[in-house]
Amino acid sequence: MTINHQRRKLLILGMGMALTAPRVYAKAAVLPVTLTSGPEKITISLPAGDQRSRVFTLTSPHRVVIDVPLEAFPPSLVHSLTVVKQKFPWVVHTQIAHFTPQITRIVLEVSGLPSLQRTSEAGNLSVAITVADTAPVQNTPVAAPVMAKPLLVMIDPGHGGKDPGAIGNEGTYEKHVVLHIAKRLQTLLDEQHGIHAVLTRQNDVFIPLYHRVSLAHQHEADLFISIHADGFSNDNVSGASVFALSPHGAGSAMARYLSQSENSVDVLYDDDFKTNDTYLKQTLFDLDQRETISRSLDFGRHLASNIIKVHHMHSPHPEQAGFAVLKSPRIPSVLVETSFITNKQEEKLLGEPAFQEKMARALADGINSYFINEKKNNLLS
C-alpha cells in the first residue's frame, strides 16, 4: 500500500513536469531531485537514467558540481541549500544557474577535498557528499571515541516575502521583526550554549508552510521553533504565548483565530506546494504524533518559564492549536507569539533592539534547559 501511493504521487508529478519538458525527453517520467542531510553528509538524489544527471568535482577551489534536468528541479531545493550552508561549516558557497536550456547546475564550493559516494536504486542516483578531515594522522592507532549526534535546532522566522504577516498600526511588519529575533537567537545558541541552529530563511523570502516542516525532517533537526509576533482583532490584546500542536485543533477562541490566520497562508498562496494525497499527509504529519505532542508541550513549558522573566504572558502555560508548522512527526515543535504587533505598546517594544535581545535570550535559555532535561532523562541519543 505504501509503495503504490508513493509511486502514484511521483507518476502524477512526473507527468505534469513532462508537459513542459523538451520534446526529446518527453517520454520519460522524471523523478524530482531531493536534497537531505545527516550530521556529517549531504545527500542528493536525482534521476539515474537521464544523461543530464551528473555529479562531479572541480579544484581550485574545491567544488561539487551537480547537473540535473531542468524539469526535475523543485523550487523547494533553494531553501534546502540555504539550510545546508548554515549547517555545514565546510560549505563555503552555493550557487544555482541554468547551465543550458535543459540543465540546472548546482555548485557547492567546499573548504576541503570532497568525497562522493554513489548508489543507484529504483531509477534514482544518490550521491553522499562529505569533506575529508584535515586533522593530522596519528602514528599510534587510538580507538575513536563514540561521539554523540550534534544537536540541531531549526528556527523558523514566520512569514516572509509576499506574506508580510501581521502589520502594526505604525506600519511595523511581523516578517521583519521575527527575522531579527531569529537571527539573534541563532547566534546566542551557538555562542552561549554551544547548540547549532539553522534558519528556514535568512532574508525576506516566502516559504510555504508545508516546506518549513519538510526542512526540519530533511536535515534531521532535533527541535523546531517558529517565531511570530501576530495580530488580533482587538488591539488591547497583549502578551506572549507558546503553542504546541493540538490533535483536535484549536483549544481556545484565541488559539482558533491564530491557527486560522497562520494556516490561511497556504490557501492564499502557492497551492502547487500542497498535496491532496491523504496517505502522504498522514505519513508526514501524524506519525508518532502523540509522543511528539507530549515532548512539544514540555519544550513549551521550558520556553514559557523563561519568557515570563522578560515579558508578561497572555497565557502562562503552553496552549494547543492546529498550526500547520507544528505538524512535524518525531520533532518537538512549538510556535512562539513573542507579543502582539497590533497592540500599540507591544508594537513599539518589538521594534526595539533591547526587547528583541531579551526575547532571544529567553528563548535560548528555554531551549538549553529543555535539552539539559532531555539528557538527564536519557531521551537524547
Side-chain angles (χ1 to χ4, degrees), residues 7 20 42 45 53 106 126 138 147 208 267 282 335 351 367 369:
R7 283 171 62 90
T20 59
I42 299 168
S45 180
S53 297
I106 306 165
S126 290
Q138 298 181 7
M147 299 297 291
V267 176
Q282 179 181 352
L335 185 148
I367 290 169
S369 68

Side-chain angles (χ1 to χ4, degrees), residues 35 45 59 86 99 101 169 177 182 215 240 252 281 311 320 353 356:
L35 188 147
S45 180
T59 57
Q86 298 172 77
F99 183 62
N169 293 325
V177 170
L215 282 172
S252 68
K281 286 182 179 179
H311 190 53
Q320 291 181 266
Q356 296 172 7

